């Protein structure tokens, strides 16, 4: 199975900060990496698909990059509604696997 | 609006069974694979299973293989998760999600949208 290592596990940031979350796979995924946002008590929401595709309706301050084994989710200017937990997910080969999540908290 | 809605959760004793349902709407159901993902209380997301649009291909996480069965009825736009031999560690919110494509053979699928989830509690 492909292992996903996400870092950091949590971070504190202020509104307006640039935030970067990384995800590393145990083998090459080419571009088969997705990012989801989850707020407390809510279902996850797709942000980025295929490493860098911005899902419709998602603000442009979110961006994804990377290929192979190393991927990055960037929030260019953190907004109050962005405080949440973020997960990466590989769909290169089943079983699909998620990273352990990054909780973004208010500093 | 494309949506999926789970039902069937509840409390069950260890060793028991439960069947979850996920009803879909506002898209051509048979054109999309479907997936189940779970989240134990206070924990992260765990992918559980997926089924192709035609129902001819299924995949499972190792921790449910042999105990859970995913199926679908395209005439009812519904996907199911039959869960047998339940354990305490299966306690979680179970989410249903739509895949972007019909087939599970090609890599690179993504999950959107997700349902609101249904809680399964395994306890004596």
């Amino acid at each position: 199975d492909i292992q996903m290592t996400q870092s950091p596990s949590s971070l504190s940031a202020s509104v307006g900060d640039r935030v970067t979350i990384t995800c590393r796979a145990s083998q090459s995924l080419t571009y088969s990496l997705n990012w989801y946002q989850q707020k407390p008590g809510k279902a996850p929401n797709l942000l980025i698909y295929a490493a860098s595709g911005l899902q419709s309706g998602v603000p442009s301050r979110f961006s994804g990059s990377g290929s192979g084994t190393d991927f990055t989710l960037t929030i260019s200017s953190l907004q109050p509604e962005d405080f949440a937990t973020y997960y990466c997910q590989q769909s290169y080969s089943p079983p699909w696997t998620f990273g352990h999540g990054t909780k973004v908290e208010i500093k | 609006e494309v949506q999926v809605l789970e039902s069937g959760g509840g409390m069950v004793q260890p060793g028991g069974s439960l069947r979850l349902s996920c009803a879909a709407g506002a898209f051509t159901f048979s054109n999309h694979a479907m997936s189940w993902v779970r989240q134990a209380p206070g924990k992260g997301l765990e992918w559980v299973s997926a089924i192709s649009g035609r129902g001819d291909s299924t995949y499972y996480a190792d921790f449910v293989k042999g105990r859970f069965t995913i199926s679908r009825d395209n005439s009812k736009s519904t996907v199911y998760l039959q869960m047998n031999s339940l354990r305490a560690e299966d306690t979680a919110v179970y989410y249903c999600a739509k895949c972007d494509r019909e087939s599970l053979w090609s890599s690179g699928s993504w999950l959107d949208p997700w349902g609101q989830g249904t809680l399964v509690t395994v306890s004596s």
Side-chain angles (χ1 to χ4, degrees):
Chain A
D1 297 359
I2 299 174
Q3 308 303 314
M4 305 301 296
T5 302
Q6 195 174 331
S7 61
S9 57
S10 66
L11 65 91
S12 295
S14 301
V15 173
D17 284 353
R18 182 181 182 88
V19 169
T20 299
I21 299 168
T22 64
C23 191
R24 174 165 288 177
S26 59
Q27 67 179 76
S28 177
L29 308 178
T30 61
Y31 297 95
S32 301
L33 190 284
N34 309 309
W35 291 97
Y36 301 88
Q37 177 194 65
Q38 187 179 34
K39 296 181 179 179
K42 300 293 186 182
N45 183 51
L46 176 68
L47 296 177
I48 301 289
Y49 60 89
S52 61
L54 186 67
Q55 174 66 352
S56 176
V58 174
S60 59
R61 62 181 179 272
F62 291 94
S63 64
S65 63
S67 65
T69 60
D70 294 309
F71 300 86
T72 299
L73 173 70
T74 299
I75 309 172
S76 60
S77 177
L78 197 66
Q79 298 301 301
E81 60 267 32
D82 301 337
F83 292 96
T85 301
Y86 295 84
Y87 295 91
C88 62
Q89 177 238 339
Q90 69 83 12
S91 57
Y92 181 77
S93 67
W96 299 339
T97 43
F98 289 88
H100 288 105
T102 296
K103 187 174 183 178
V104 176
E105 299 175 303
I106 301 173
K107 181 183 281 186
Chain B
E1 180 186 356
V2 173
Q3 60 181 5
V4 294
L5 184 64
E6 305 92 338
S7 62
M11 181 173 285
V12 62
Q13 292 187 337
S17 298
L18 210 56
R19 188 177 83 154
L20 305 183
S21 300
C22 171
F27 64 95
T28 305
F29 187 67
S30 59
N31 285 355
H32 294 270
M34 299 293 291
S35 186
W36 289 94
V37 176
R38 73 183 186 184
Q39 186 169 37
K43 302 297 184 182
L45 300 173
E46 275 191 315
W47 178 80
V48 174
S49 183
I51 185 168
S52 63
R54 287 176 291 191
D56 55 357
S57 178
T58 59
Y59 289 108
Y60 298 93
D62 288 344
F63 52 80
V64 303
K65 211 170 284 184
R67 300 188 299 126
F68 290 12
T69 302
I70 191 171
S71 62
R72 64 190 295 156
D73 184 339
N74 286 349
S75 68
K76 296 181 179 179
S77 295
T78 301
V79 62
Y80 304 98
L81 187 67
Q82 177 66 44
M83 304 186 295
N84 298 331
S85 303
L86 283 162
R87 307 165 180 166
E89 54 265 35
D90 295 319
T91 294
V93 173
Y94 285 73
Y95 294 103
C96 170
K98 166 181 163 285
C99 300
D100 68 295
R101 62 199 68 181
E102 188 279 332
S103 172
L104 297 175
W105 287 107
S106 61
S107 61
S109 187
W110 54 87
L111 302 175
D112 179 73
W114 298 51
Q116 87 293 344
T118 188
L119 176 63
V120 172
T121 303
V122 184
S123 174
S124 55

